[in-house]
Amino acid sequence: MKKIEDLLMDKVPFGVLSNTHGLNGDMKLHIFSNMPELVGKLTEAVAYNENQKKFVIVKFEKVRRAHGYFIVHLVGVNTISEAEKLKGFVIYLDKSFFPKSKDGEYYFFELLKCEVYDEHGNLLGIIEDIIETGNNDVIVVRKEKKEMLIPVIERYVTKIDKENKKIYIKTPEWLE
């Protein structure tokens, strides 16, 4: 039997089924992505509820845009009581679902768990999180109990090697 970690290994959280909508099994889908155009391409996904430790494979029958979210109808979910059972489930999609990122662009899932090296080849740590600041993203790099915040701007990030999960930086002056 597979562990849930194995099932979700090459998957990316895309949104959450937050609530029911109407009486016919429709649900509200709030997406985590800034690419709403991908919602119309949804066909199948893994839905997982961490609190319940349950997962289900869902198939999307209909998708329509609402105000700040989407209304989806899943195959086999035809009543409000069936939809209630999926409230809070996070939708996970295969990484291959997303269009290939261009040079100089990245998806957060491409940077998470990357190794970060300074200009001398020293391993500074692993990217554990990414903070959106509005102007630029900031990577949270951890090594043991030490944490560094590094802005993702040309001044500090010299190379992003998505294929090998490595990022090279010029050490910021506040870390020297």
Side-chain angles (χ1 to χ4, degrees), residues 78-89:
N78 297 309
T79 66
I80 191 169
S81 63
E82 291 170 339
E84 284 277 342
K85 295 174 187 173
L86 294 173
K87 276 174 59 173
F89 276 68

Side-chain angles (χ1 to χ4, degrees), residues 4 24 29 36 135 144-145 158-160 173:
I4 192 65
N24 297 323
L29 172 65
N135 290 331
E144 295 162 14
K145 294 186 182 199
T158 57
K159 181 180 178 186
I160 297 176
E173 50 278 358

